Amino acid sequence: MEGAGTSYSNAFRFVAPLQEHLLQGSILDAHCEVLLHRLRGLCDNADTTPETFSDYEAVYQLKNNLATPASQYILLRVRQALDHPEAPHHIRYLGQAEVGDKSRHTLVRACFDVACSSNVRDFLNELGFKLDHEYVARGYFFHKGRMKVMVSKIYRMQQPGKTDQNTLEPITQSHMVELSVVAPMGQDSIGEEMKNFAEQLKPLVVLEKFDHKRLP
Amino acid sequence: MQAPQSKEEKQLDAGLEGLITKVHDLKNQIAAFINKLETEYETLNWPSMLDNFALMSGQLNSLKQLLRGDKMPALRNFVLFPVLLSQDPDPHLEKLTEGRVVSCNHDLVPDYLRTKPEPEVEEKINLIANKAANVNIETATKQLNSLNKITSNLLDIINSSKDEWENDAGQKGSQPQTSQQQDTTNLVAAVTKGLRLRRPDPSMQQMQAGPIHSMQQVQNPRPGMGKMPSAIKTNIKSGSAHPYQRP
């Protein structure tokens, strides 16, 4: 059992040496409209109305016997589009976000995405994964080149598994703003591009590499 | 030319000599400054620039004083005219002018010895001077007044727009906050670690209820129940430590 977790994450690294470069921030709901307007001007899909999404995400965890607290659990995130029931479900593994030094402008974490069938949650349960938490994210999606911008509101679900509007409760008075790029390992130049883009959203939103170790 | 010099001529010689040294000083100063600008432009700072300007202005002043001084004859009464113009290079002249003027020729002399503006320029100046002289005093005052009026109006407009602009800038500085750090923290914590999204776990509730239960047991007057766990703990400790202490 010892080392099972490492080989697990190593396997991910081996299979898909993809990395997600990430900048995070938030905007108060009252000013969200202004941000959307600006994003429409900056991004590629300017001619269409902003693409909306409404996703349900369930995070499953499997206990790991490793001693290091950082890898105590393996988390897998299952996403499903509530507004497109016919779309495949999506399962995602995310590694520990690395802050790096000053020369790096973004967070970088290993990232592994797979599309899967709708019974993936049962499958995970059978494997021994347990549902850790779940939420609904609703918002807008933009892209500029390979950069992806998501402006989304995060809702807590008051009843397990229920995604009706009246059982959802927003957790803050802000929208979350994420700027991300998934790229093969070693493409550090993307950070510069992202930094320049984030610069254009100031002072409306301050997108920064948010150190996840600072989290409570 | 060796005739005894008159008093005036002596004075002129002395004056010119002084003038030449002063001009030479000024020239050296300007050359040094230009050299500084060309070689130290990366490290040159504003105060040392100002120092240089002050030096030059001082030298110009002393030159002026010399020209106005009592000992200086009225230079305007003397005429300087070229005796000989030649296309051939003159090494002496070249040396005197540090290579700037090679020969005293027809091209240069009119420029160097000019005491009046060019005829066309002079004509224009005269024309304007005549026009100015012919203006009626009344119309002049009228025009002056209207000019003053226009200027003050313009100043008002500029001032008011400056005020507006400054207000705008002030408002921009106090732009309402569009994002909150706390919200960012909460959102990131929720999305990455599920903070505030996790439902209270039923097993967690049991664990929370556990200690309360045992507390009640401790408060119970029966002492045996409370001691039991601690005894087991020490047993385990000594049991595990034993084999290593005595092999």
Side-chain angles (χ1 to χ4, degrees):
Chain A
M1 282 301 278
E2 275 296 323
T6 32
S7 67
Y8 204 62
S9 50
N10 277 348
F12 275 125
R13 226 166 260 178
F14 178 72
V15 171
L18 284 178
Q19 285 184 316
E20 185 182 44
H21 301 250
L22 183 69
L23 288 174
Q24 293 171 308
S26 75
I27 184 152
L28 290 168
D29 293 351
H31 303 283
C32 188
E33 204 58 43
V34 188
L35 174 69
L36 293 180
H37 200 78
R38 192 177 289 188
L39 281 171
R40 276 180 70 179
L42 288 173
C43 293
D44 291 345
N45 46 352
D47 42 346
T48 56
T49 48
E51 211 175 320
T52 58
F53 68 88
S54 173
D55 284 359
Y56 162 69
E57 180 163 311
V59 180
Y60 286 86
Q61 57 144 313
L62 182 68
K63 249 210 171 114
N64 193 350
N65 281 355
L66 277 184
T68 48
S71 51
Q72 237 173 354
Y73 301 103
I74 289 174
L75 293 180
L76 287 180
R77 297 152 189 276
V78 181
R79 255 194 195 232
Q80 115 190 41
L82 295 172
D83 47 352
H84 292 285
E86 74 286 354
H89 288 203
H90 169 216
I91 187 165
R92 172 168 241 211
Y93 166 82
L94 288 176
Q96 193 73 23
E98 292 164 31
V99 180
D101 54 5
K102 274 206 171 150
S103 64
R104 192 191 263 169
H105 303 298
T106 63
L107 284 181
V108 175
R109 59 187 181 190
C111 159
F112 188 54
D113 293 287
V114 185
C116 49
S117 58
S118 57
N119 57 358
V120 63
R121 296 172 62 195
D122 297 332
F123 176 66
L124 285 177
N125 272 328
E126 292 297 324
L127 277 179
F129 277 89
K130 274 193 190 141
L131 181 67
D132 186 54
H133 60 273
E134 51 186 356
Y135 64 87
V136 168
R138 281 188 183 157
Y140 307 89
F141 163 78
F142 298 87
H143 63 86
K144 180 175 173 61
R146 52 180 176 170
M147 286 186 284
K148 187 170 84 174
V149 187
M150 292 213 292
V151 182
S152 58
K153 187 104 179 134
I154 308 294
Y155 295 92
R156 182 190 297 132
M157 292 159 65
Q158 285 171 330
Q159 289 168 34
K162 290 267 174 70
T163 54
D164 312 329
Q165 181 58 51
N166 47 13
T167 63
L168 297 179
E169 180 199 356
I171 61 167
T172 57
Q173 294 305 307
S174 292
H175 277 68
M176 175 147 199
V177 185
E178 283 187 301
L179 173 64
S180 65
V181 175
V182 175
M185 217 172 223
Q187 291 206 3
D188 288 340
S189 61
I190 189 74
E192 194 69 32
E193 210 177 307
M194 289 171 72
K195 185 187 147 211
N196 290 340
F197 187 82
E199 212 58 43
Q200 296 184 56
L201 296 179
K202 280 180 183 172
L204 213 51
V205 185
V206 181
L207 288 175
E208 53 175 356
K209 49 175 195 176
F210 199 98
D211 189 355
H212 290 177
K213 292 195 186 80
R214 251 163 52 200
L215 292 175
Chain B
M1 289 298 281
Q2 289 300 322
Q5 287 185 326
S6 69
K7 192 183 164 198
E8 211 170 84
E9 276 175 338
K10 267 187 189 162
Q11 215 175 19
L12 178 65
D13 272 357
L16 279 181
E17 216 159 278
L19 204 61
I20 286 168
T21 43
K22 290 274 180 203
V23 171
H24 198 72
D25 283 353
L26 186 63
K27 198 207 82 179
N28 281 343
Q29 178 60 36
I30 292 174
F33 185 48
I34 289 173
N35 185 37
K36 213 171 185 181
L37 277 180
E38 277 173 355
T39 54
E40 297 173 30
Y41 58 93
E42 275 169 347
T43 53
L44 201 62
N45 55 12
W46 184 236
S48 78
M49 285 275 289
L50 285 183
D51 283 351
N52 271 293
F53 280 126
L55 269 174
M56 276 192 268
S57 127
Q59 272 166 351
L60 274 174
N61 267 334
S62 69
L63 185 67
K64 230 189 233 167
Q65 269 172 8
L66 189 77
L67 281 173
R68 282 188 192 147
D70 297 336
K71 285 187 180 166
M72 184 60 76
L75 287 175
R76 66 171 71 222
N77 295 338
F78 294 91
V79 181
L80 175 68
F81 58 94
V83 183
L84 175 73
L85 294 182
S86 142
Q87 293 287 359
D88 303 325
D90 181 347
H92 180 62
L93 184 65
E94 193 175 349
K95 199 180 159 199
L96 266 182
T97 57
E98 294 176 352
R100 288 190 185 83
V101 179
V102 182
S103 71
C104 185
N105 59 26
H106 305 76
D107 187 25
L108 286 170
V109 167
D111 281 333
Y112 276 88
L113 300 185
R114 167 171 293 145
T115 53
K116 282 170 106 180
E118 286 182 53
E120 301 102 77
V121 178
E122 207 173 7
E123 217 169 89
K124 273 188 184 174
I125 291 173
N126 280 338
L127 210 71
I128 292 164
N130 278 338
K131 209 176 167 188
N134 285 337
V135 171
N136 197 338
I137 295 178
E138 255 178 58
T139 38
T141 26
K142 246 187 210 166
Q143 283 178 341
L144 200 68
N145 282 340
S146 67
L147 180 68
N148 280 341
K149 222 171 166 179
I150 291 168
T151 318
S152 65
N153 275 347
L154 215 62
L155 204 66
D156 281 354
I157 292 170
I158 291 170
N159 276 335
S160 71
S161 55
K162 182 187 147 216
D163 283 352
E164 257 174 51
W165 186 67
E166 276 176 352
N167 272 346
D168 264 18
Q171 277 176 355
K172 257 186 195 164
S174 62
Q175 202 183 31
Q177 220 188 353
T178 53
S179 61
Q180 270 184 16
Q181 189 61 37
Q182 188 55 43
D183 275 4
T184 309
T185 313
N186 285 343
L187 285 166
V188 173
V191 171
T192 51
K193 294 195 169 170
L195 216 78
R196 304 222 270 153
L197 289 174
R198 236 171 246 123
R199 241 173 279 291
D201 199 354
S203 61
M204 287 282 277
Q205 276 175 349
Q206 274 177 7
M207 274 170 70
Q208 278 175 347
I212 299 167
H213 211 65
S214 62
M215 281 280 278
Q216 283 170 346
Q217 281 175 344
V218 171
Q219 280 167 350
N220 209 309
R222 275 183 292 181
M225 287 289 279
K227 274 183 184 172
M228 274 287 276
S230 67
I232 291 167
K233 252 187 192 169
T234 42
N235 274 347
I236 291 169
K237 248 189 183 172
S238 60
S240 64
H242 189 71
Y244 292 104
Q245 280 173 344
R246 291 179 193 176

